[in-house]
Amino acid sequence: MRRPRSGGGWPAIRYVLRQAQRSGGLWRMYKALRTRNACKTCALGMGGQRGGMVNERGSFPEVCKKSVQAMAADMQGAIRPEFWSTYSLAQLAHFSPRQLESLGRLAQPLLHDRSSDYYRPVSWEEAIDLLVSTLRAAAPDSTFWYVSGRSSNEAGFVLHLLARLYGTNNVNNCSYYCHQASGVGLTRAIGTGTATIALEDLESADLVFLIGGNPASNHPRLMTTLARIRRRGGHVVVINPVREVGLIRFRVPSNLRSLLFADRIASVYVQPDIGGDLALLTGIAKRIVELGAHDAKFLSGHCHQSQPWLEWLAKLPWEEIERKSGVDRSTIDQVARLYADSKRTVFSWTMGITHHAHGVANVQAIANLALARGMVGKPGAGLLPIRGHSNVQGIGSVGVTPQLKQAVFERLESHYGLKLPTQPGLDTLACLEAAAAGRLQVGICLGGNLFGASPDARFAAEALARLELVAYLNTTLNTGHVRGLAKRTLVLPVLPRDEEPQPTTQESMFNFVRYSDGGPARLAGPRSELEVLTEVADRLLGPIGPVDWKDLRDTTRVRQMIGRVVPGFEAMQEGSKREFTIGGRLLREPRFPTADGRAVLHIHELPDLVGEPGQLRLMTVRSEGQFNTVVYEEEDWYRGQERRDVILIHPEDLQRLGLSDGQPVRVSSQVGSLGPVLARSFPDIKPGNALMYYPEANVLVPRRYDPESKTPAFKSVAISLVPWSG
Ligand SMILES: Nc1nc2c(c(=O)[nH]1)N[C@H]1C(S)=C(S)[C@@H](COP(=O)(O)OP(=O)(O)OC[C@H]3O[C@@H](n4cnc5c(=O)[nH]c(N)nc54)[C@H](O)[C@@H]3O)O[C@H]1N2
Ligand SMILES: Nc1nc2c(c(=O)[nH]1)N[C@H]1C(S)=C(S)[C@@H](COP(=O)(O)OP(=O)(O)OC[C@H]3O[C@@H](n4cnc5c(=O)[nH]c(N)nc54)[C@H](O)[C@@H]3O)O[C@H]1N2
Ligand SMILES: [Mo]
C-alpha cells in the first residue's frame, strides 16, 4: 500500500461520504452529527448546546472522520438474538476486534457462566438481580469499579458515590492507562492537573510544541488550529520518533486553499529515541539557559527550586543528553532558538510522553521548560495535555478516582451527612493484580474494554478469570467480552450519549463543560447508564440520608449534587443548560493554585533508553482506522499498511537483523511473544525503534509502570525479533 504525501484532504472527505452512505445516507448522518450532543470521540470537544459540529468558539463545520466513524458504529442495527446460540465463545475468540465491533449494537443483557460455551440472553431483571445479590454477598473491598471515558459526568458521579457508600474506594478510570502521569506531574508542578489554557489561547500562540502524539489520526481537528498557526507565521515543533505524514503536511478538508495546496505543519521535526524525551526536553532547557533566554525574574519570583535546577542543568554533560535522547546538539540548539524567539508558547503532549516508566518525570520536564521562560500563567501560552476519550477528564473531575479530592470528600460528608470509606483504593492495574492474587471477587466496568486496554494480555485474562463476576456496561461487543471472562460474566447493553433520555454533560480537555441533549433510542433494549446504576444502588443500598437513588435518576438532581461538591462546577447548580469553563483551571496570571501560589521545578535524572544491545524498543500505538481497542478498518492509511499484524522497523535494523522486507518474524518480550508478524521496512522510524499496533501487541507489554502515576510503559517495550519458524 502506498503512503500518502499529506494527511487529511480528499481521502478524508471520500471516507466520510462512504461511511455516511453505509449508515443510511448523507442526510441521516448529517442530522445525527448535528444534534445538540457532545462529540463522542476525542476530548478536543465539539457539539453540545451550540449544535453538533460546532466548537466552543462557534466555528462550523467542525467534523472529522473519527466522529463519523463513532456515529456510524452507534447507528448499526442490533445483534440478533439468535446470534448468541449460533456462535460459541470458542468461535468468537477467532473474531478480530474489527469483526466484533461490526456485528452491531448490543441490545439485550447477556450472561455467560463456565458451564457453557455460549452467552445466554437474559432479562434485565435477572441481570440486575444477579449483580445485586453478588455485590451483597461480597465484601466491598473485594470489588472494583472501572470507568472508561465515554460515559457522562452524571453516570460517573453516581457510580463512584454508589461504590463508596457501598464501602470501597476501588474506583478508577482509564486515565490510569492514559494521562494519569499528566495529572500527577502537573499537580505537583503547578497545583492543577489539567490544561492551563482554553482553545482561544492555543489559537493565539506563536509556537506550539507537539510532543509524542499523532493528532492527524487521533485529534484531527487540532490539525486545523496547527495549520492556522503556521499560516499566521507561527511555528510548530514536533517531537516524535516516527515521522508521521499528517504532522508534516496536512490538507484541512474545510479549507479550500489547504485542501488544494496542503499546509505544512512541522517547522522542525525532531526524532528522539523512544523514551528519550526527558533527556531531550532537559537539553532544550539547558540550551535556553546557555543562550540567556530564560526568564530569571519569573523563575525567582514565581517558582521554587529554580536555583538548584539551574545549577543541575549547568553541570549536566551534553554527551549524556545526546546519548539518552538520541538527538544531536545542533538540533537541540535549533529548537531552543525557536523557543527563545517565541512570545507565546503552548506545550502539548500525548501518549508518547505518558506511556513510560518515567511518565511523570517527562511531564515535569515539559513544565520546567515552560516555566523557564514564563510560559505558564499568561494568555496565549501554557500547558496542554491532549486528552483522549471525549469525557475522560470529566470522569476524573467528578470523582471516579481511588482518592477523592479533599474538598469533594469533605463536602459530601458535611453537605450530605454521608460517611465515606477512608481506606486506600486501588488504581486500575492494581485492581487486576489484586484479582490475579485472588483478593477480588467482583468487577464492574462502565464502558471501555479493560481486558483489551491492559498490558500483559495473558495476565489480564487470568486475573479477570479469577473473579466471581464481572459486569460490562457497553454499547458494542469487544474482545473483553470474549477473552476477559470471569466465572460469570454479564454484558449489559447501554445507550450512547445521543440516545440518552435526559441531558448529560461532558468536559473537554480545555475544561469546557458541554450539555448533550440526548435523543431517541435507536434500538429497543439498551438502557441508560444512569438508570442501570441507580437501580443497582437503590436495590443494594436503599436511600442513605438525603441521597435517594430514585431522585438521582433525574440527571438535573445529579448535576445539582456535583455543583455543590465539586469545586469549579458551581454553575451546575443553576439547573439551566448553560455551558461553562470550570472555575480555577485556566491560568492567565502567574499565580499558581499551590499552597503559596508558586510553581515548583523538578529535577529528574535522565533515564537510560530501554533494551539490551541487539534488542529494539517497541512502541504500541493506534492506527488511522481505530479508536482504542475498537478497530474500524484493518488498514493504516497514513503509514501505508493494509494489515495490522506487522512490525515497522527501520531498513538499517532489518539489514542488521538479516531480515528481508516483509519477512514473517516472531516478536518476543519479557512477557510474551507474537507471530507470525511481518517485519516491514519503515524508513520514517528512527533506527533502533519499532512500532506495532495496540491492542493486539498487548501480549508483549510487561506490567512495568511509572511508580508515581501507575501508568504502564505501553510505549517502551524491549523486544527481540527472530525469523518465524512456525
Ligand atoms: N481516531 C482515534 N482518536 C483517538 C483515539 C483512537 O484510538 N483513535 N484514542 C483516544 C485516546 S484514549 C487517546 S489517549 C489519544 C491518543 O493519541 P496519541 O497519543 O496520538 O496516540 P498513540 O497512537 O498512542 O501515540 C501516538 C504517538 O506517540 C509517538 N511516540 C511513541 N513513543 C514515543 C516516545 O517515546 N516519545 C515521543 N515523543 N513520541 C512517541 C508515536 O510515534 C505516535 O505518533 O487519542 C484519542 N483519540
Ligand atoms: N498497548 C497499549 N495499550 C493501551 C494504549 C496504548 O497506546 N497501547 N492506550 C491506553 C489508553 S490511552 C486508553 S484510554 C485505554 C482505553 O481503554 P478503554 O477506554 O477501556 O477502551 P476502549 O477501547 O476505548 O473501549 C471501547 C468500548 O467502549 C464501549 N463504549 C463506546 N461508547 C460507549 C458509551 O457511550 N457508554 C458505554 N458504557 N460504553 C461505550 C464500546 O462497547 C467499546 O467496545 O487503553 C490503553 N491501553
Ligand atoms: Mo487514552
Side-chain angles (χ1 to χ4, degrees), residues 146 148 150 177-178 355 389 447-449 453 473-476 478 494 529 620 622 628-629 694 698 714-715:
Y146 169 78
S148 171
R150 276 232 193 151
Y177 286 168
C178 187
H355 281 170
H389 271 296
N449 176 358
L473 284 75
N474 284 94
T475 52
T476 51
N478 63 44
V494 291
E529 295 173 338
T620 57
R622 292 151 175 81
N628 296 344
T629 70
Y694 137 75
N698 265 341
F714 289 119
K715 299 280 187 276

PDB file of all heavy atoms in Angstrom, residues 146 148 150 177-178 355 389 447-449 453 473-476 478 494 529 620 622 628-629 694 698 714-715, ligand 2:
ATOM      1  N   TYR A 146     -14.462   0.173  37.403  1.00  0.00           N
ATOM      2  CA  TYR A 146     -13.641   0.817  36.371  1.00  0.00           C
ATOM      3  C   TYR A 146     -14.557   1.585  35.420  1.00  0.00           C
ATOM      4  O   TYR A 146     -15.616   1.087  35.037  1.00  0.00           O
ATOM      5  CB  TYR A 146     -12.881  -0.268  35.606  1.00  0.00           C
ATOM      6  CG  TYR A 146     -12.196   0.197  34.334  1.00  0.00           C
ATOM      7  CD1 TYR A 146     -10.984   0.886  34.389  1.00  0.00           C
ATOM      8  CD2 TYR A 146     -12.737  -0.078  33.075  1.00  0.00           C
ATOM      9  CE1 TYR A 146     -10.338   1.295  33.218  1.00  0.00           C
ATOM     10  CE2 TYR A 146     -12.097   0.323  31.904  1.00  0.00           C
ATOM     11  CZ  TYR A 146     -10.898   1.008  31.983  1.00  0.00           C
ATOM     12  OH  TYR A 146     -10.265   1.414  30.825  1.00  0.00           O
ATOM     13  N   SER A 148     -14.574   3.890  31.767  1.00  0.00           N
ATOM     14  CA  SER A 148     -13.872   4.427  30.607  1.00  0.00           C
ATOM     15  C   SER A 148     -14.271   5.894  30.458  1.00  0.00           C
ATOM     16  O   SER A 148     -14.981   6.428  31.296  1.00  0.00           O
ATOM     17  CB  SER A 148     -14.243   3.592  29.391  1.00  0.00           C
ATOM     18  OG  SER A 148     -13.757   4.178  28.227  1.00  0.00           O
ATOM     19  N   ARG A 150     -16.071   7.528  28.080  1.00  0.00           N
ATOM     20  CA  ARG A 150     -17.153   7.944  27.181  1.00  0.00           C
ATOM     21  C   ARG A 150     -18.440   8.213  27.928  1.00  0.00           C
ATOM     22  O   ARG A 150     -19.382   8.771  27.375  1.00  0.00           O
ATOM     23  CB  ARG A 150     -17.429   6.837  26.171  1.00  0.00           C
ATOM     24  CG  ARG A 150     -16.517   6.901  25.005  1.00  0.00           C
ATOM     25  CD  ARG A 150     -17.329   6.880  23.710  1.00  0.00           C
ATOM     26  NE  ARG A 150     -16.436   6.637  22.612  1.00  0.00           N
ATOM     27  CZ  ARG A 150     -16.776   6.038  21.498  1.00  0.00           C
ATOM     28  NH1 ARG A 150     -18.000   5.600  21.315  1.00  0.00           N
ATOM     29  NH2 ARG A 150     -15.899   5.893  20.544  1.00  0.00           N
ATOM     30  N   TYR A 177      -4.398   4.366  32.459  1.00  0.00           N
ATOM     31  CA  TYR A 177      -3.682   3.803  31.308  1.00  0.00           C
ATOM     32  C   TYR A 177      -3.368   4.911  30.302  1.00  0.00           C
ATOM     33  O   TYR A 177      -3.001   4.640  29.180  1.00  0.00           O
ATOM     34  CB  TYR A 177      -4.546   2.738  30.623  1.00  0.00           C
ATOM     35  CG  TYR A 177      -4.654   1.434  31.370  1.00  0.00           C
ATOM     36  CD1 TYR A 177      -5.588   0.484  30.983  1.00  0.00           C
ATOM     37  CD2 TYR A 177      -3.810   1.124  32.431  1.00  0.00           C
ATOM     38  CE1 TYR A 177      -5.689  -0.731  31.640  1.00  0.00           C
ATOM     39  CE2 TYR A 177      -3.912  -0.082  33.092  1.00  0.00           C
ATOM     40  CZ  TYR A 177      -4.850  -1.005  32.699  1.00  0.00           C
ATOM     41  OH  TYR A 177      -4.954  -2.217  33.337  1.00  0.00           O
ATOM     42  N   CYS A 178      -3.574   6.159  30.710  1.00  0.00           N
ATOM     43  CA  CYS A 178      -3.603   7.218  29.699  1.00  0.00           C
ATOM     44  C   CYS A 178      -2.846   8.452  30.200  1.00  0.00           C
ATOM     45  O   CYS A 178      -1.629   8.494  30.146  1.00  0.00           O
ATOM     46  CB  CYS A 178      -5.075   7.487  29.383  1.00  0.00           C
ATOM     47  SG  CYS A 178      -5.390   8.601  28.041  1.00  0.00           S
ATOM     48  N   HIS A 355       3.161   7.295  28.382  1.00  0.00           N
ATOM     49  CA  HIS A 355       3.274   5.821  28.402  1.00  0.00           C
ATOM     50  C   HIS A 355       4.713   5.355  28.625  1.00  0.00           C
ATOM     51  O   HIS A 355       5.264   4.605  27.819  1.00  0.00           O
ATOM     52  CB  HIS A 355       2.740   5.233  27.089  1.00  0.00           C
ATOM     53  CG  HIS A 355       1.242   5.155  27.039  1.00  0.00           C
ATOM     54  ND1 HIS A 355       0.536   4.857  25.895  1.00  0.00           N
ATOM     55  CD2 HIS A 355       0.294   5.313  28.005  1.00  0.00           C
ATOM     56  CE1 HIS A 355      -0.760   4.842  26.147  1.00  0.00           C
ATOM     57  NE2 HIS A 355      -0.933   5.128  27.416  1.00  0.00           N
ATOM     58  N   HIS A 389     -10.193  10.172  25.531  1.00  0.00           N
ATOM     59  CA  HIS A 389     -11.636   9.993  25.420  1.00  0.00           C
ATOM     60  C   HIS A 389     -12.380  11.305  25.617  1.00  0.00           C
ATOM     61  O   HIS A 389     -11.955  12.166  26.394  1.00  0.00           O
ATOM     62  CB  HIS A 389     -12.113   9.063  26.535  1.00  0.00           C
ATOM     63  CG  HIS A 389     -12.094   7.614  26.163  1.00  0.00           C
ATOM     64  ND1 HIS A 389     -12.872   7.103  25.172  1.00  0.00           N
ATOM     65  CD2 HIS A 389     -11.418   6.562  26.681  1.00  0.00           C
ATOM     66  CE1 HIS A 389     -12.684   5.793  25.096  1.00  0.00           C
ATOM     67  NE2 HIS A 389     -11.789   5.434  25.996  1.00  0.00           N
ATOM     68  N   GLY A 447     -18.406   0.934  30.555  1.00  0.00           N
ATOM     69  CA  GLY A 447     -17.773   1.239  29.266  1.00  0.00           C
ATOM     70  C   GLY A 447     -16.371   0.693  29.188  1.00  0.00           C
ATOM     71  O   GLY A 447     -15.856   0.080  30.120  1.00  0.00           O
ATOM     72  N   GLY A 448     -15.755   0.915  28.039  1.00  0.00           N
ATOM     73  CA  GLY A 448     -14.375   0.517  27.849  1.00  0.00           C
ATOM     74  C   GLY A 448     -14.201  -0.958  27.583  1.00  0.00           C
ATOM     75  O   GLY A 448     -15.158  -1.704  27.375  1.00  0.00           O
ATOM     76  N   ASN A 449     -12.919  -1.340  27.613  1.00  0.00           N
ATOM     77  CA  ASN A 449     -12.539  -2.726  27.375  1.00  0.00           C
ATOM     78  C   ASN A 449     -11.310  -2.969  28.235  1.00  0.00           C
ATOM     79  O   ASN A 449     -10.183  -2.848  27.782  1.00  0.00           O
ATOM     80  CB  ASN A 449     -12.235  -2.919  25.885  1.00  0.00           C
ATOM     81  CG  ASN A 449     -11.741  -4.314  25.554  1.00  0.00           C
ATOM     82  OD1 ASN A 449     -11.570  -5.166  26.443  1.00  0.00           O
ATOM     83  ND2 ASN A 449     -11.509  -4.564  24.279  1.00  0.00           N
ATOM     84  N   ALA A 453      -7.431  -3.179  26.952  1.00  0.00           N
ATOM     85  CA  ALA A 453      -6.622  -1.990  27.206  1.00  0.00           C
ATOM     86  C   ALA A 453      -5.429  -2.282  28.105  1.00  0.00           C
ATOM     87  O   ALA A 453      -4.522  -1.471  28.212  1.00  0.00           O
ATOM     88  CB  ALA A 453      -7.486  -0.913  27.849  1.00  0.00           C
ATOM     89  N   LEU A 473     -20.798  -2.826  31.149  1.00  0.00           N
ATOM     90  CA  LEU A 473     -21.870  -1.996  30.567  1.00  0.00           C
ATOM     91  C   LEU A 473     -21.320  -1.388  29.280  1.00  0.00           C
ATOM     92  O   LEU A 473     -20.432  -0.526  29.333  1.00  0.00           O
ATOM     93  CB  LEU A 473     -22.278  -0.878  31.534  1.00  0.00           C
ATOM     94  CG  LEU A 473     -23.154  -1.277  32.727  1.00  0.00           C
ATOM     95  CD1 LEU A 473     -22.342  -2.009  33.782  1.00  0.00           C
ATOM     96  CD2 LEU A 473     -23.814  -0.052  33.350  1.00  0.00           C
ATOM     97  N   ASN A 474     -21.785  -1.857  28.142  1.00  0.00           N
ATOM     98  CA  ASN A 474     -21.202  -1.436  26.869  1.00  0.00           C
ATOM     99  C   ASN A 474     -22.265  -1.193  25.807  1.00  0.00           C
ATOM    100  O   ASN A 474     -23.418  -1.568  25.974  1.00  0.00           O
ATOM    101  CB  ASN A 474     -20.242  -2.522  26.350  1.00  0.00           C
ATOM    102  CG  ASN A 474     -18.921  -2.537  27.103  1.00  0.00           C
ATOM    103  OD1 ASN A 474     -18.751  -3.282  28.061  1.00  0.00           O
ATOM    104  ND2 ASN A 474     -17.993  -1.718  26.685  1.00  0.00           N
ATOM    105  N   THR A 475     -21.784  -0.611  24.704  1.00  0.00           N
ATOM    106  CA  THR A 475     -22.686  -0.378  23.573  1.00  0.00           C
ATOM    107  C   THR A 475     -22.485  -1.415  22.472  1.00  0.00           C
ATOM    108  O   THR A 475     -23.425  -1.758  21.767  1.00  0.00           O
ATOM    109  CB  THR A 475     -22.429   1.022  22.980  1.00  0.00           C
ATOM    110  OG1 THR A 475     -21.024   1.136  22.712  1.00  0.00           O
ATOM    111  CG2 THR A 475     -22.856   2.112  23.941  1.00  0.00           C
ATOM    112  N   THR A 476     -21.230  -1.843  22.306  1.00  0.00           N
ATOM    113  CA  THR A 476     -20.919  -2.834  21.258  1.00  0.00           C
ATOM    114  C   THR A 476     -20.030  -3.916  21.851  1.00  0.00           C
ATOM    115  O   THR A 476     -19.463  -3.758  22.930  1.00  0.00           O
ATOM    116  CB  THR A 476     -20.171  -2.170  20.073  1.00  0.00           C
ATOM    117  OG1 THR A 476     -19.078  -1.427  20.603  1.00  0.00           O
ATOM    118  CG2 THR A 476     -21.081  -1.256  19.270  1.00  0.00           C
ATOM    119  N   ASN A 478     -16.817  -6.290  22.318  1.00  0.00           N
ATOM    120  CA  ASN A 478     -15.371  -6.137  22.138  1.00  0.00           C
ATOM    121  C   ASN A 478     -14.625  -7.357  22.686  1.00  0.00           C
ATOM    122  O   ASN A 478     -15.240  -8.266  23.253  1.00  0.00           O
ATOM    123  CB  ASN A 478     -14.882  -4.820  22.747  1.00  0.00           C
ATOM    124  CG  ASN A 478     -15.087  -4.757  24.253  1.00  0.00           C
ATOM    125  OD1 ASN A 478     -14.825  -5.722  24.973  1.00  0.00           O
ATOM    126  ND2 ASN A 478     -15.563  -3.616  24.736  1.00  0.00           N
ATOM    127  N   VAL A 494     -25.977  -0.611  26.970  1.00  0.00           N
ATOM    128  CA  VAL A 494     -26.385   0.743  27.374  1.00  0.00           C
ATOM    129  C   VAL A 494     -26.454   1.675  26.169  1.00  0.00           C
ATOM    130  O   VAL A 494     -26.022   1.330  25.068  1.00  0.00           O
ATOM    131  CB  VAL A 494     -25.429   1.320  28.457  1.00  0.00           C
ATOM    132  CG1 VAL A 494     -25.586   0.582  29.767  1.00  0.00           C
ATOM    133  CG2 VAL A 494     -23.999   1.315  27.974  1.00  0.00           C
ATOM    134  N   GLU A 529     -27.177   4.458  31.145  1.00  0.00           N
ATOM    135  CA  GLU A 529     -26.199   4.067  32.167  1.00  0.00           C
ATOM    136  C   GLU A 529     -26.706   4.458  33.549  1.00  0.00           C
ATOM    137  O   GLU A 529     -26.598   3.701  34.513  1.00  0.00           O
ATOM    138  CB  GLU A 529     -24.864   4.762  31.888  1.00  0.00           C
ATOM    139  CG  GLU A 529     -24.210   4.319  30.581  1.00  0.00           C
ATOM    140  CD  GLU A 529     -22.978   5.136  30.236  1.00  0.00           C
ATOM    141  OE1 GLU A 529     -22.855   6.279  30.752  1.00  0.00           O
ATOM    142  OE2 GLU A 529     -22.141   4.659  29.462  1.00  0.00           O
ATOM    143  N   THR A 620       3.697   0.777  21.192  1.00  0.00           N
ATOM    144  CA  THR A 620       2.434   0.207  20.731  1.00  0.00           C
ATOM    145  C   THR A 620       1.466   1.368  20.550  1.00  0.00           C
ATOM    146  O   THR A 620       1.206   2.122  21.485  1.00  0.00           O
ATOM    147  CB  THR A 620       1.872  -0.793  21.755  1.00  0.00           C
ATOM    148  OG1 THR A 620       1.703  -0.137  23.011  1.00  0.00           O
ATOM    149  CG2 THR A 620       2.821  -1.962  21.943  1.00  0.00           C
ATOM    150  N   ARG A 622      -1.824   3.492  17.975  1.00  0.00           N
ATOM    151  CA  ARG A 622      -3.069   3.391  17.231  1.00  0.00           C
ATOM    152  C   ARG A 622      -2.815   3.549  15.746  1.00  0.00           C
ATOM    153  O   ARG A 622      -1.953   4.331  15.343  1.00  0.00           O
ATOM    154  CB  ARG A 622      -3.992   4.537  17.671  1.00  0.00           C
ATOM    155  CG  ARG A 622      -4.465   4.388  19.067  1.00  0.00           C
ATOM    156  CD  ARG A 622      -4.739   5.739  19.725  1.00  0.00           C
ATOM    157  NE  ARG A 622      -5.300   5.519  21.036  1.00  0.00           N
ATOM    158  CZ  ARG A 622      -4.561   5.235  22.116  1.00  0.00           C
ATOM    159  NH1 ARG A 622      -3.223   5.183  22.036  1.00  0.00           N
ATOM    160  NH2 ARG A 622      -5.140   5.016  23.274  1.00  0.00           N
ATOM    161  N   ASN A 628      -8.979   3.244  20.052  1.00  0.00           N
ATOM    162  CA  ASN A 628      -8.520   2.374  21.140  1.00  0.00           C
ATOM    163  C   ASN A 628      -8.676   0.910  20.755  1.00  0.00           C
ATOM    164  O   ASN A 628      -8.226   0.512  19.695  1.00  0.00           O
ATOM    165  CB  ASN A 628      -9.230   2.726  22.444  1.00  0.00           C
ATOM    166  CG  ASN A 628      -8.875   4.130  22.892  1.00  0.00           C
ATOM    167  OD1 ASN A 628      -7.908   4.702  22.409  1.00  0.00           O
ATOM    168  ND2 ASN A 628      -9.623   4.684  23.807  1.00  0.00           N
ATOM    169  N   THR A 629      -9.344   0.128  21.602  1.00  0.00           N
ATOM    170  CA  THR A 629      -9.407  -1.303  21.303  1.00  0.00           C
ATOM    171  C   THR A 629     -10.425  -1.614  20.208  1.00  0.00           C
ATOM    172  O   THR A 629     -10.585  -2.764  19.824  1.00  0.00           O
ATOM    173  CB  THR A 629      -9.765  -2.119  22.567  1.00  0.00           C
ATOM    174  OG1 THR A 629     -11.121  -1.870  22.915  1.00  0.00           O
ATOM    175  CG2 THR A 629      -8.863  -1.751  23.745  1.00  0.00           C
ATOM    176  N   TYR A 694      -1.587  -1.520  18.925  1.00  0.00           N
ATOM    177  CA  TYR A 694      -2.368  -1.867  20.102  1.00  0.00           C
ATOM    178  C   TYR A 694      -3.787  -2.101  19.592  1.00  0.00           C
ATOM    179  O   TYR A 694      -4.173  -1.455  18.632  1.00  0.00           O
ATOM    180  CB  TYR A 694      -2.241  -0.677  21.069  1.00  0.00           C
ATOM    181  CG  TYR A 694      -3.436  -0.175  21.803  1.00  0.00           C
ATOM    182  CD1 TYR A 694      -3.954  -0.867  22.883  1.00  0.00           C
ATOM    183  CD2 TYR A 694      -4.037   1.036  21.454  1.00  0.00           C
ATOM    184  CE1 TYR A 694      -5.039  -0.364  23.592  1.00  0.00           C
ATOM    185  CE2 TYR A 694      -5.110   1.530  22.160  1.00  0.00           C
ATOM    186  CZ  TYR A 694      -5.618   0.825  23.217  1.00  0.00           C
ATOM    187  OH  TYR A 694      -6.675   1.314  23.916  1.00  0.00           O
ATOM    188  N   ASN A 698      -0.606  -6.082  22.961  1.00  0.00           N
ATOM    189  CA  ASN A 698      -0.577  -6.065  24.435  1.00  0.00           C
ATOM    190  C   ASN A 698      -0.101  -7.366  25.064  1.00  0.00           C
ATOM    191  O   ASN A 698       0.241  -7.383  26.249  1.00  0.00           O
ATOM    192  CB  ASN A 698      -1.935  -5.640  25.006  1.00  0.00           C
ATOM    193  CG  ASN A 698      -1.944  -4.151  25.299  1.00  0.00           C
ATOM    194  OD1 ASN A 698      -0.880  -3.546  25.419  1.00  0.00           O
ATOM    195  ND2 ASN A 698      -3.100  -3.570  25.413  1.00  0.00           N
ATOM    196  N   PHE A 714       3.443   1.542  28.025  1.00  0.00           N
ATOM    197  CA  PHE A 714       2.961   0.963  26.762  1.00  0.00           C
ATOM    198  C   PHE A 714       3.852   1.343  25.575  1.00  0.00           C
ATOM    199  O   PHE A 714       3.749   0.760  24.522  1.00  0.00           O
ATOM    200  CB  PHE A 714       1.547   1.473  26.455  1.00  0.00           C
ATOM    201  CG  PHE A 714       0.460   0.937  27.340  1.00  0.00           C
ATOM    202  CD1 PHE A 714      -0.300   1.798  28.133  1.00  0.00           C
ATOM    203  CD2 PHE A 714       0.158  -0.414  27.358  1.00  0.00           C
ATOM    204  CE1 PHE A 714      -1.342   1.322  28.914  1.00  0.00           C
ATOM    205  CE2 PHE A 714      -0.887  -0.903  28.137  1.00  0.00           C
ATOM    206  CZ  PHE A 714      -1.632  -0.038  28.922  1.00  0.00           C
ATOM    207  N   LYS A 715       4.647   2.405  25.744  1.00  0.00           N
ATOM    208  CA  LYS A 715       5.443   2.861  24.612  1.00  0.00           C
ATOM    209  C   LYS A 715       6.910   2.481  24.724  1.00  0.00           C
ATOM    210  O   LYS A 715       7.703   2.945  23.904  1.00  0.00           O
ATOM    211  CB  LYS A 715       5.346   4.392  24.464  1.00  0.00           C
ATOM    212  CG  LYS A 715       3.949   4.930  24.208  1.00  0.00           C
ATOM    213  CD  LYS A 715       3.506   4.799  22.775  1.00  0.00           C
ATOM    214  CE  LYS A 715       2.177   5.494  22.535  1.00  0.00           C
ATOM    215  NZ  LYS A 715       1.017   4.643  22.898  1.00  0.00           N
TER     216      LYS A 715
HETATM  217  N1  LIG B   2      -0.569  -1.274  24.294  1.00  0.00           N
HETATM  218  C1  LIG B   2      -1.318  -0.208  24.520  1.00  0.00           C
HETATM  219  N2  LIG B   2      -2.345  -0.299  25.391  1.00  0.00           N
HETATM  220  C2  LIG B   2      -3.107   0.799  25.640  1.00  0.00           C
HETATM  221  C3  LIG B   2      -2.841   2.022  24.984  1.00  0.00           C
HETATM  222  C4  LIG B   2      -1.755   2.075  24.060  1.00  0.00           C
HETATM  223  O1  LIG B   2      -1.465   3.131  23.463  1.00  0.00           O
HETATM  224  N3  LIG B   2      -1.009   0.956  23.864  1.00  0.00           N
HETATM  225  N4  LIG B   2      -3.631   3.112  25.259  1.00  0.00           N
HETATM  226  C5  LIG B   2      -4.284   3.170  26.559  1.00  0.00           C
HETATM  227  C6  LIG B   2      -5.256   4.267  26.611  1.00  0.00           C
HETATM  228  S1  LIG B   2      -4.628   5.823  26.282  1.00  0.00           S
HETATM  229  C7  LIG B   2      -6.552   4.105  26.933  1.00  0.00           C
HETATM  230  S2  LIG B   2      -7.536   5.473  27.187  1.00  0.00           S
HETATM  231  C8  LIG B   2      -7.122   2.760  27.139  1.00  0.00           C
HETATM  232  C9  LIG B   2      -8.549   2.647  26.554  1.00  0.00           C
HETATM  233  O2  LIG B   2      -9.252   1.796  27.312  1.00  0.00           O
HETATM  234  P1  LIG B   2     -10.860   1.742  27.363  1.00  0.00           P
HETATM  235  O3  LIG B   2     -11.430   3.089  27.463  1.00  0.00           O
HETATM  236  O4  LIG B   2     -11.168   0.760  28.431  1.00  0.00           O
HETATM  237  O5  LIG B   2     -11.220   1.067  25.987  1.00  0.00           O
HETATM  238  P2  LIG B   2     -11.973   1.480  24.661  1.00  0.00           P
HETATM  239  O6  LIG B   2     -11.373   0.618  23.611  1.00  0.00           O
HETATM  240  O7  LIG B   2     -11.950   2.928  24.425  1.00  0.00           O
HETATM  241  O8  LIG B   2     -13.478   0.993  24.941  1.00  0.00           O
HETATM  242  C10 LIG B   2     -14.250   0.591  23.882  1.00  0.00           C
HETATM  243  C11 LIG B   2     -15.635   0.149  24.273  1.00  0.00           C
HETATM  244  O9  LIG B   2     -16.374   1.217  24.833  1.00  0.00           O
HETATM  245  C12 LIG B   2     -17.750   0.943  24.661  1.00  0.00           C
HETATM  246  N5  LIG B   2     -18.492   2.197  24.518  1.00  0.00           N
HETATM  247  C13 LIG B   2     -18.481   3.072  23.500  1.00  0.00           C
HETATM  248  N6  LIG B   2     -19.316   4.108  23.758  1.00  0.00           N
HETATM  249  C14 LIG B   2     -19.878   3.878  24.976  1.00  0.00           C
HETATM  250  C15 LIG B   2     -20.810   4.589  25.796  1.00  0.00           C
HETATM  251  O10 LIG B   2     -21.321   5.654  25.450  1.00  0.00           O
HETATM  252  N7  LIG B   2     -21.098   4.034  27.007  1.00  0.00           N
HETATM  253  C16 LIG B   2     -20.572   2.848  27.409  1.00  0.00           C
HETATM  254  N8  LIG B   2     -20.900   2.383  28.603  1.00  0.00           N
HETATM  255  N9  LIG B   2     -19.726   2.150  26.633  1.00  0.00           N
HETATM  256  C17 LIG B   2     -19.363   2.662  25.447  1.00  0.00           C
HETATM  257  C18 LIG B   2     -17.867   0.056  23.447  1.00  0.00           C
HETATM  258  O11 LIG B   2     -18.586  -1.096  23.821  1.00  0.00           O
HETATM  259  C19 LIG B   2     -16.429  -0.300  23.089  1.00  0.00           C
HETATM  260  O12 LIG B   2     -16.251  -1.691  22.846  1.00  0.00           O
HETATM  261  O13 LIG B   2      -6.266   1.772  26.526  1.00  0.00           O
HETATM  262  C20 LIG B   2      -4.930   1.839  26.982  1.00  0.00           C
HETATM  263  N10 LIG B   2      -4.158   0.702  26.510  1.00  0.00           N
END
